[in-house]
Amino acid sequence: MARVWNTPIFAIAAIYFAVDALFSAVTEPITAWLSKKRLLERVRRWVTSLGPYQSFALFAVPVVILEPAKPLSAYLLGTGHFLPGAIVFIAAEVLKLTVVERLFQLNKKKLLSIPLFAWGYGYWRRMMDYLESTGAWRTSRRMLSEALERIGNLKSRLQSQFRSAGARRLK
């Protein structure tokens, strides 16, 4: 009977991680941009000065605060409030991934020095390695890359059309 659940659980996990990967594509540039801001330099120094368990507590805060937004967004979607549900989900996911990713980058060594965290991270990494090795994952990543490339091409064409239309009006 346990095998019956393997496929749906795998499908749900793959969708969950695919959504996270999609949002990571959005949050990586935000994280890189934030890391270059002088205003946040003091915050970065403070975060990196924390010990391992304080870093873990700080790392857990955005997860604990923003993770419950997923069931809330599911409730909103289920009750017919599509736009608010989508906004709650997208905002919470982008914020969570941006903050959590940055905190992990800053304190990775300290966090991995905590045995239970290192075990959980290792388990998560093995699961991600397995998912990323599947054909479905590679296909979805390829489709995402192609879609992002098409969007970029469309954006470039629209920008060049607007520039040329503006130049014609000035003449």
Side-chain angles (χ1 to χ4, degrees):
M1 187 65 164
R3 285 187 164 180
V4 172
W5 290 104
N6 284 349
T7 302
I9 289 172
F10 179 78
I12 291 168
I15 291 168
Y16 177 83
F17 288 119
V19 168
D20 265 7
L22 175 66
F23 281 105
S24 290
V26 172
T27 61
E28 285 174 8
I30 295 169
T31 303
W33 178 76
L34 284 173
S35 68
K36 296 175 185 171
K37 294 296 169 196
R38 292 190 103 203
L39 176 67
L40 298 175
E41 181 63 27
R42 292 177 83 187
V43 174
R44 186 192 65 74
R45 280 197 308 266
W46 174 74
V47 167
T48 56
S49 74
L50 298 173
Y53 289 95
Q54 295 136 333
S55 297
F56 177 70
L58 184 62
F59 180 81
V61 167
V63 174
V64 169
I65 291 172
L66 296 170
E67 197 63 34
K70 289 178 186 174
L72 172 63
S73 67
Y75 171 77
L76 290 169
L77 290 168
T79 57
H81 300 93
F82 180 77
L83 188 60
I87 290 171
V88 166
F89 181 80
I90 291 169
E93 195 67 10
V94 167
L95 277 170
K96 184 186 74 159
L97 287 174
T98 301
V99 173
V100 168
E101 178 65 28
R102 186 67 183 142
L103 289 172
F104 184 73
Q105 287 173 0
L106 291 173
N107 288 324
K108 184 176 181 178
K109 283 184 179 180
K110 293 176 192 174
L111 291 169
L112 292 176
S113 73
I114 302 170
L116 188 58
F117 187 91
W119 175 84
Y121 178 74
Y123 183 81
W124 175 83
R125 191 66 258 163
R126 286 189 303 278
M127 186 171 46
M128 287 303 297
D129 290 343
Y130 172 72
L131 283 173
E132 291 169 358
S133 72
T134 64
W137 182 271
R138 288 191 301 272
T139 300
S140 65
R141 292 297 290 187
R142 188 184 76 246
M143 290 171 66
L144 176 63
S145 294
E146 289 170 358
L148 291 173
E149 185 177 337
R150 286 186 188 127
I151 291 169
N153 291 339
L154 177 63
K155 181 182 171 187
S156 296
R157 279 186 284 161
L158 288 173
Q159 286 175 337
S160 66
Q161 286 176 354
F162 283 121
R163 276 191 227 115
S164 64
R168 282 193 299 259
R169 272 191 255 138
L170 292 174
K171 288 181 181 182

